[in-house]
Amino acid sequence: MIVFTQSALKREDFKKTEDVFNRVMNRDNIAVACLLRHKQDGYRVIVANAHIHWDPAFSDVKLVQVAMLMEELEDLTNKWSKREKSASEGAKIPLVICGDFNSIPDSGVYEYMSRAIIDCSHPEFQSHRYGKFTEVGMTHLFGLRSAYAQGPGGKEILPFTNYTPGFQGVIDYIWYGTSTLSVEAVMDGPEAAYIENVVGFPDPHFPSEYSPKCDVLTIVILLFLQNYV
């Protein structure tokens, strides 16, 4: 389990930063990650699931949380790689990161996840101070892409993953490492004719506020786990 408040406490550059204690330390968001190995052929994959802070007014906290998430995943990848006979083989372990990022495709979180870098002066930091993140910027080592970024120019093809009376938009993602994985197919969202007749989700046919994309992901992971340990 990755507890973002604990990750923040481990950072020397956060210890004298008031914004960390006033804005990050009072959030209870977490992530989980595990290394799975296929029972028959030994194929391995790292799967992580995260829940990032929801409030649009705290875009800086979202950036800090995803940056710490990627640092923790890098540490875990290095740790798990050492178990392999070859370090280079370990570094190629496929990675899937899924979850509720509470961030639209035009956000700094999406930019960071998809481009692996974000400038220290990014406006979504809101002039708050977060150690090295706001001194030199944020980077990660994973080449990631959203599984549903299959439209022209890499545009997300679903109109929403969250559909409520107060908000409709894409905020949930399945990220995958492009060096080892590829997308074969994706599932469509609910039909437009159906959407026109509902106020939002959950409803009797979709028992979640999130789109079927998230439910399908749960099914895929469960099927996946049947063959992995």
Side-chain angles (χ1 to χ4, degrees), residues 201-228:
F201 298 142
D203 76 350
H205 298 101
F206 297 99
S208 170
E209 68 184 75
Y210 302 100
S211 81
K213 166 184 176 180
C214 303
D215 298 329
V216 170
L217 175 61
T218 302
I219 294 172
V220 169
I221 290 177
L222 289 175
L223 291 173
F224 189 78
L225 288 174
Q226 290 179 1
N227 294 310
Y228 282 74

Side-chain angles (χ1 to χ4, degrees), residues 11-125:
R11 297 182 61 93
E12 290 293 329
D13 59 332
F14 276 10
K15 290 187 175 180
K16 295 183 179 180
T17 306
E18 291 185 3
D19 287 328
V20 172
F21 292 96
N22 293 333
R23 296 176 69 82
V24 175
M25 295 304 296
N26 54 356
R27 314 296 167 192
D28 59 0
N29 302 92
I30 66 169
V32 293
C34 60
L35 174 66
L36 302 177
R37 184 187 299 271
H38 196 276
K39 293 178 180 178
Q40 280 76 43
D41 62 18
Y43 184 83
R44 299 147 299 139
V45 63
I46 296 170
V47 178
N49 186 30
H51 186 204
I52 303 304
H53 184 61
W54 69 272
D55 195 340
F58 288 80
S59 59
D60 54 316
V61 174
K62 299 173 194 278
L63 284 173
V64 171
Q65 287 182 344
V66 294
M68 292 190 295
L69 169 65
M70 300 313 291
E71 286 186 343
E72 293 283 358
L73 288 177
E74 182 178 341
D75 289 344
L76 287 172
T77 298
N78 292 333
K79 174 184 175 181
W80 288 329
S81 295
K82 292 179 181 179
R83 299 179 183 177
E84 308 302 322
K85 295 180 180 179
S86 168
S88 61
E89 289 181 3
K92 296 179 182 178
I93 301 175
L95 173 67
V96 177
I97 308 171
C98 47
D100 182 357
F101 285 78
N102 277 310
S103 303
I104 61 175
D106 290 335
S107 66
V109 166
Y110 193 98
E111 177 182 343
Y112 171 68
M113 294 294 288
S114 60
R115 298 183 182 180
I117 188 170
I118 202 164
D119 191 77
C120 61
S121 61
H122 196 283
E124 290 191 15
F125 279 122

Side-chain angles (χ1 to χ4, degrees), residues 160-176:
F160 62 85
T161 61
N162 181 271
Y163 191 87
T164 65
F167 175 82
Q168 301 87 39
V170 177
I171 57 174
D172 310 278
Y173 304 96
I174 305 168
W175 301 96
Y176 67 95

Side-chain angles (χ1 to χ4, degrees), residues 111-212:
E111 177 182 343
Y112 171 68
M113 294 294 288
S114 60
R115 298 183 182 180
I117 188 170
I118 202 164
D119 191 77
C120 61
S121 61
H122 196 283
E124 290 191 15
F125 279 122
Q126 303 182 45
S127 299
H128 294 292
R129 297 177 58 193
Y130 295 108
K132 293 180 180 178
F133 294 158
T134 50
E135 292 171 0
V136 298
M138 299 173 5
T139 61
H140 66 76
L141 301 179
F142 305 100
L144 300 175
R145 186 179 184 184
S146 168
Y148 273 77
Q150 304 296 324
K155 183 179 180 181
E156 294 284 326
I157 60 175
L158 283 182
F160 62 85
T161 61
N162 181 271
Y163 191 87
T164 65
F167 175 82
Q168 301 87 39
V170 177
I171 57 174
D172 310 278
Y173 304 96
I174 305 168
W175 301 96
Y176 67 95
T178 57
S179 63
T180 51
L181 298 171
S182 62
V183 173
E184 295 294 328
V186 294
M187 184 176 180
D188 291 335
E191 296 181 359
Y194 182 87
I195 296 300
E196 292 175 357
N197 295 304
V198 298
V199 176
F201 298 142
D203 76 350
H205 298 101
F206 297 99
S208 170
E209 68 184 75
Y210 302 100
S211 81

